[in-house]
Amino acid sequence: MTHVIEVEHLGRRFGNFNAVSDVNFHVEQGEIFGYLGANGAGKSTTIRMLIGLLAPSSGKASVAGFDIAHESEALKAAIGYMSQKFSLYLDLPVLENLLFFGGAYGLGGRTLRARAEHALGLTGLKDSARTVTGSLPGGLRQRLALSCALLHEPEIVFLDEPTAGVDPEARRSFWGVIRDLSRAGTTVFVTTHYLDEAEYCRRIGLMVDGRLVALDTPEGLKKTYVPESVFVVHGAQLMRAVEGLEQRPGIKGIAPFGAGLHLRAESKHWDVDTLAAAFSELGATSVLVQPTEATLEDVFLEVVGRGAAKSESAS
């Protein structure tokens, strides 16, 4: 496979603060590559370097064949970028926004109008072309922002939390567009806080405190970081039991999950019945324990927890 993004020992400092430290990865053509981490983990700083908006302090990277440090202007013509903040003109109709931003890419005339119509078709906005942007619901605004990023037919699209604040149905629809782009050969580099969305990515990198600490497919990450059995626990007064249960052999992690808990435990020590009995013994009532599959949320909590433990031991 062709590597359209190559990152080697990339770093960025702000004074004495290392926002990104010694990051290494590659992205293949047509891949949906997820870049995850908590706020302040270094995701957006990495993207800003990769799209030529911020010079690296160390290391190097190439994007679409261009050196990010020395060919940033040529690079910008080969990529699309959709930022966290909606930046289009709310008082313009959808099509007028596209025509305006197309001019910024140096497009014009019939080529620009054809590209605009094509982008509207890709994102399902043809019926909204004459609608004033400010009257669109959040999900359609995000599709418009994506349309603008696709106008010049870039090889790679960078999406920085593209569905933040969008309702679940609109998020699913938006990810349908992203998957269509990938199938057509466009590379998508995306950050998101919604871990269910990350399941759509072919591979995922996890950032903790400026470092890339895990990189694999969603299934690979689950096998590596959550090899134990996983259970979902519902009931009353569950938190009464958590502290005591965490001290018992074979319990690897307990975390809130919706109205209940996600619990990871070694199968040689624990099953549905023994867990239910332990919760009841420690003060919980109406306990229901069911086996479930590991999620990327379980992975994220485990990876971040390991990172926090390393930071504490180093301080």
Side-chain angles (χ1 to χ4, degrees):
M1 295 290 289
T2 301
H3 295 175
V4 294
I5 300 176
E6 291 271 9
V7 176
E8 299 178 27
H9 306 293
L10 193 66
R12 174 67 197 195
R13 294 184 303 276
F14 295 97
N16 294 324
F17 174 64
N18 284 320
V20 175
S21 300
D22 197 30
V23 167
N24 299 270
F25 64 86
H26 69 267
V27 180
E28 298 173 355
Q29 183 177 3
E31 181 175 15
I32 303 176
F33 185 86
Y35 207 56
L36 309 185
N39 287 332
K43 307 185 303 297
S44 294
T45 300
T46 303
I47 282 186
R48 291 177 66 202
M49 287 190 283
L50 294 181
I51 65 175
L53 291 181
L54 186 65
S57 302
S58 58
K60 62 181 181 178
S62 66
V63 176
F66 298 104
D67 185 303
I68 64 169
H70 303 106
E71 300 175 289
S72 60
E73 290 307 312
L75 161 65
K76 290 171 186 176
I79 63 171
Y81 172 55
M82 181 177 164
S83 68
Q84 294 179 24
K85 185 176 180 181
F86 185 78
S87 57
L88 305 182
Y89 291 100
L90 296 178
D91 56 345
L92 287 180
V94 166
L95 180 58
E96 294 301 319
N97 257 311
L98 283 166
L99 296 178
F100 177 83
F101 277 86
Y105 285 120
L107 302 173
R110 292 181 179 177
T111 299
L112 172 54
R113 188 161 287 273
R115 295 274 184 90
E117 294 289 345
H118 180 63
L120 289 174
L122 282 176
T123 55
L125 286 175
K126 279 193 172 181
D127 292 340
S128 302
R130 304 295 176 186
T131 303
V132 174
T133 299
S135 67
L136 294 174
L140 294 187
R141 288 190 194 180
Q142 295 300 84
R143 288 200 203 182
L144 175 55
L146 178 60
S147 297
C148 289
L150 297 173
L151 268 176
H152 57 305
E153 299 181 346
E155 298 177 43
I156 306 167
V157 180
F158 290 86
L159 309 177
D160 197 0
E161 297 189 30
T163 58
V166 175
D167 67 80
E169 184 177 351
R171 288 199 287 119
R172 284 193 295 271
S173 176
F174 191 93
W175 271 90
V177 176
I178 292 175
R179 294 164 78 184
D180 287 344
L181 286 171
S182 174
R183 283 191 284 265
T186 300
T187 304
V188 180
F189 187 109
V190 58
T191 73
T192 179
H193 280 305
Y194 298 109
L195 295 174
D196 59 320
E197 293 184 350
E199 296 280 0
Y200 295 123
C201 298
R202 182 178 174 273
R203 289 185 303 141
I204 294 168
L206 280 168
M207 292 286 287
V208 177
D209 296 331
R211 295 186 177 276
L212 184 63
V213 297
L215 175 61
D216 205 340
T217 64
E219 287 307 310
L221 289 171
K222 292 171 190 175
K223 289 178 182 177
T224 299
Y225 290 97
V226 194
E228 310 86 10
S229 298
V230 181
F231 303 88
V232 60
V233 185
H234 291 284
Q237 308 298 325
L238 291 178
M239 297 311 294
R240 285 185 180 181
V242 168
E243 185 175 352
L245 199 55
E246 285 178 327
Q247 308 306 315
R248 298 197 177 184
I251 299 296
K252 294 301 184 180
I254 306 175
F257 191 83
L261 300 171
H262 249 206
L263 184 149
R264 295 184 291 108
E266 294 179 355
S267 57
K268 65 181 180 181
H269 290 292
W270 298 97
D271 59 21
V272 168
D273 294 331
T274 55
L275 283 170
F279 269 98
S280 298
E281 174 193 330
L282 292 167
T285 60
S286 303
V287 178
L288 175 64
V289 181
Q290 296 173 301
T292 189
E293 297 294 323
T295 69
L296 286 174
E297 184 169 340
D298 296 311
V299 172
F300 183 79
L301 291 171
E302 175 65 16
V303 171
V304 171
R306 291 186 187 185
K310 284 184 181 179
S311 297
E312 287 180 9
S313 63
S315 60

